Amino acid sequence: MRPYRSLTVLALAAGLALGGCASTAPIAPPPPAAVAQVQPARGPFVAAANPLAVEAGLKVLRQGGSAVDAAVAVQAVLGLVEPQSSGLGGGAFLMHYDAATGRVTSYDGRETAPAAATPELFYEDGRPLDFMDAVLSGRSTGAPGVVAMLGLAHRDHGRLAWSGLFDEAERLARDGFDVSPRLAALAASRQGQAGTRWARAYFSRPDGSPLQAGDRLVNAEYARTLRELAAGGAEAFYHGRIALEIAAVVAEQPRPGALTAEDIAAYRPIERGALCRPYRQVWIVCVPPPPAGGVAVLQLLAMAEHAPALAGGAEDPDAWTAFAQLQRLMYADRDRYVGDPAFVGVPVQGLLDPDYVAARAALAPGLTGAAQPGTPPGGQFTGPDATLEPGGTSHFVVVDARGNAVSMTTTVESLFGSGRMAAGFFVNNQLTDFSFEPLRRDGGPAANAVAAGKRPRSSMSPILLLDRDGRFLGAVGSPGGTSILAYNAKAVIGVIDWGLSMQAAINLPNLVAKGDGFGADTAMFSPELRAALAERGIVLRPNTSENSGLHGGIWRDGGWDGGADSRREGAARTH
């Protein structure tokens, strides 16, 4: 398998950071004088959703490994100990900062639809399938991308041998690990994907009862897969036993899928460069371009610069109201325009155009009900679509001793993916991230309609934070389905606008405003703040999407201000 590089990337060129100008070239290294400056941010630092994964990453960093080396180890462990969220059978987006050159780039490991996929993939008897019927079918699985993506990133930025990066995960799979409370609770539900025959067999004690927190879980098949990956490289995943097992399980009832071993072998990751914009004239925020969700986060932050009410801080109902209304506008545009750029024209430049952003932000104070999408320069109506995006995702951050950094969001889509297992891991249901209905009501095409070889639109938007000179200062990201965009923006605003520590920003209650509703961590808002928001038309209801799992860190005063979301089970550590 030979990975290829995208010929078109969208980035902010060095020297334009404060002007808000756009470029179609990769983000360039800073001038030689800037390269010679001492980079303030150094590792080791790892923040991830499980302490075992954090320790695996730190172990690689202690051995002199790079941030990408450690990312391979972290992902391998997360796929074992947090299989509800990510794994080898899924996909990911990775942002990388190269400390030696100042270059920022992204790696796209999003899954692809099989060659036999059609726009009516999730239709039956002329009507769209019920969502869970689609998830549990073989039709929901795309060619996995995370292993190929990590292989490409390791080729570019690895320092240690690939073969040694799976040792900790292989040991835990072979000898067993203690099941965490969150994994035990989700597996014991035996509903949906946790109720498939594969999941029930994997998560049961010898007497058939569900595993409990603290039980020892051994996964010999996963250990075998990791040994093959260590010996054969990323190629071993896409050719031979592992690919054949994935294709075979996808072909089983109910509703067999069309993904073949040939589709898997044909998968290619993409290096896309980076999409970067200044924020508050001091910071530069870098995200992956479409089909990732980064452009939406940047649009929301750009609108935030036209919202003086945000300056009120975390206890001010006017600040939260402004945040909510800006989200409504952002989601309306994102749902209308963003898709796989190989198949649809995504008006990235137009969505971030200063005049367009200012005009959209001006609508926020008087907005009532659901926002309508705007018409950015270069935008063509291609939706709205009928896309559902549930949660089953994780995020982690790694910084090595040289100052190289990774911010990576990784997923199997829904909890436990499709609920089917192959080669010791769950396979994704990523194709349910496509619009089930390929046409909008007036007959026009949906930007996120299914097509052979296409990558579904994603909300994943791992973030790197730089200073005005292009030097790395921090990273953050989250799972959460469509709510990822709101969660990530909340963390950035909390740290930059409200002056909070990374942990305090992560701890803020979540508020997600999409359409005409407001989902929130209602119990985390004080009664007084809820009442004040209600007076402003922001009536909070419990959030129905996947909760956040924000992980990140900011380099401050010569040390790491790290944060791990208490809504998960993770940690942020330097040793």
Side-chain angles (χ1 to χ4, degrees):
M1 179 184 63
R2 293 181 61 196
Y4 66 88
R5 297 173 184 269
S6 168
L7 296 178
T8 302
V9 291
L10 294 160
L12 183 70
L16 300 179
L18 299 182
C21 300
S23 171
T24 54
I27 187 166
V35 174
Q37 294 175 11
V38 175
Q39 167 58 256
R42 289 284 189 270
F45 176 77
V46 181
N50 186 284
L52 295 173
V54 172
E55 177 55 31
L58 288 171
K59 185 174 182 179
V60 168
L61 295 180
R62 293 185 201 112
Q63 295 168 354
S66 70
V68 167
D69 292 331
V72 176
V74 170
Q75 176 64 88
V77 172
L78 283 176
L80 175 69
V81 303
E82 197 197 26
Q84 68 271 25
S85 297
S86 75
L88 304 184
F93 290 94
L94 184 154
M95 292 292 295
H96 183 265
Y97 177 83
D98 188 313
T101 65
R103 185 174 293 275
V104 181
T105 193
S106 70
Y107 292 88
D108 178 346
R110 187 67 160 163
E111 298 88 338
T112 53
T118 69
E120 291 76 29
L121 176 67
F122 296 116
Y123 269 56
E124 199 165 85
D125 299 326
R127 300 181 61 184
L129 288 169
D130 288 339
F131 186 73
M132 282 308 301
D133 287 340
V135 168
L136 296 172
S137 74
R139 302 181 197 178
S140 68
T141 301
V146 67
V147 175
M149 184 204 75
L150 287 170
L152 174 57
H154 181 264
R155 186 201 71 182
D156 292 346
H157 304 290
R159 291 181 62 88
L160 301 181
W162 172 272
S163 59
L165 303 179
F166 301 91
D167 291 351
E168 188 68 9
E170 194 272 335
R171 181 188 68 79
L172 291 168
R174 182 189 66 242
D175 298 341
F177 67 96
D178 292 341
V179 174
S180 72
R182 187 167 184 268
L183 174 57
L186 292 171
S189 71
R190 298 199 167 180
Q191 302 294 316
Q193 299 94 306
T196 64
R197 63 181 178 84
W198 297 273
R200 289 175 69 93
Y202 182 50
F203 293 124
S204 291
R205 290 169 161 174
D207 64 2
S209 63
L211 287 174
Q212 301 296 311
D215 284 352
R216 200 79 169 166
L217 181 58
V218 172
N219 189 335
E221 278 298 300
Y222 192 69
R224 177 189 177 191
T225 291
L226 294 180
R227 287 194 296 272
E228 292 180 12
L229 283 179
E235 291 275 349
F237 186 92
Y238 293 88
H239 303 274
R241 177 188 72 88
I242 299 171
L244 289 170
E245 287 197 18
I246 295 171
V249 78
V250 166
E252 294 191 32
Q253 294 287 352
R255 298 182 177 88
L259 183 73
T260 66
E262 290 74 21
D263 290 317
I264 297 169
Y267 182 83
R268 299 292 184 271
I270 303 174
E271 181 187 337
R272 292 194 184 274
L275 183 59
C276 300
R277 289 294 185 277
Y279 186 57
R280 301 297 184 191
Q281 302 298 311
V282 175
W283 299 76
I284 301 173
V285 181
C286 293
V287 294
V295 63
V297 175
L298 292 184
Q299 185 192 31
L300 192 153
L301 293 175
M303 290 190 292
E305 296 202 77
H306 298 274
L310 276 175
E315 300 300 321
D316 184 354
D318 289 330
W320 284 103
T321 299
F323 181 52
Q325 301 292 50
L326 295 177
Q327 284 185 53
R328 281 176 154 175
L329 294 159
M330 173 272 290
Y331 277 115
D333 279 357
R334 170 288 215 343
D335 290 353
R336 177 58 61 96
Y337 294 109
V338 178
D340 184 342
F343 289 78
V344 297
V346 183
V348 172
Q349 306 281 13
L351 289 168
L352 300 178
D353 178 81
D355 291 338
Y356 178 72
V357 165
R360 291 293 278 168
L363 300 174
L367 189 62
T368 59
Q372 296 301 310
T375 307
Q380 296 179 349
F381 278 173
T382 51
D385 60 28
T387 299
L388 297 171
E389 193 177 344
T393 304
S394 198
H395 183 84
F396 61 88
V397 170
V398 181
V399 185
D400 66 29
R402 299 164 192 85
N404 304 304
V406 163
S407 184
M408 177 169 154
T409 310
T410 174
T411 186
V412 287
E413 181 46 19
S414 298
L415 296 173
F416 303 112
S418 69
R420 302 176 183 220
M421 295 188 76
F425 54 83
F426 287 95
V427 298
N428 69 84
N429 67 294
Q430 207 64 257
L431 301 190
T432 56
D433 260 5
F434 282 118
S435 174
F436 278 32
E437 298 178 17
L439 302 175
R440 63 178 189 256
R441 290 189 182 93
D442 65 4
N448 195 38
V450 183
K454 190 175 182 179
R455 296 168 190 245
R457 182 182 67 205
S458 175
S459 292
M460 292 188 284
S461 49
I463 292 172
L464 291 175
L465 297 170
L466 315 180
D467 69 12
R468 60 190 297 161
D469 295 318
R471 294 173 296 190
F472 170 72
L473 288 183
V476 71
S478 182
T482 57
S483 297
I484 288 172
L485 307 173
Y487 298 157
N488 284 0
K490 177 202 79 169
V492 173
I493 289 170
V495 168
I496 295 178
D497 292 76
W498 298 345
L500 301 175
S501 70
M502 178 60 74
Q503 188 63 62
I506 288 172
N507 290 345
L508 287 171
N510 290 318
L511 191 161
V512 181
K514 185 177 181 183
D516 58 2
F518 302 95
D521 296 332
T522 52
M524 296 178 66
F525 284 91
S526 68
E528 295 78 13
L529 187 51
R530 288 203 304 272
L533 288 171
E535 291 174 0
R536 291 158 174 79
I538 310 295
V539 179
L540 304 183
R541 56 167 175 75
N543 195 2
T544 57
S545 63
E546 181 187 15
N547 219 327
S548 61
L550 285 154
H551 292 90
I554 293 289
W555 182 261
R556 283 176 169 159
D557 301 322
W560 279 102
D561 167 20
D565 204 323
S566 61
R567 301 165 182 90
R568 299 285 174 119
E569 299 172 324
R573 291 173 46 200
T574 57
H575 58 273

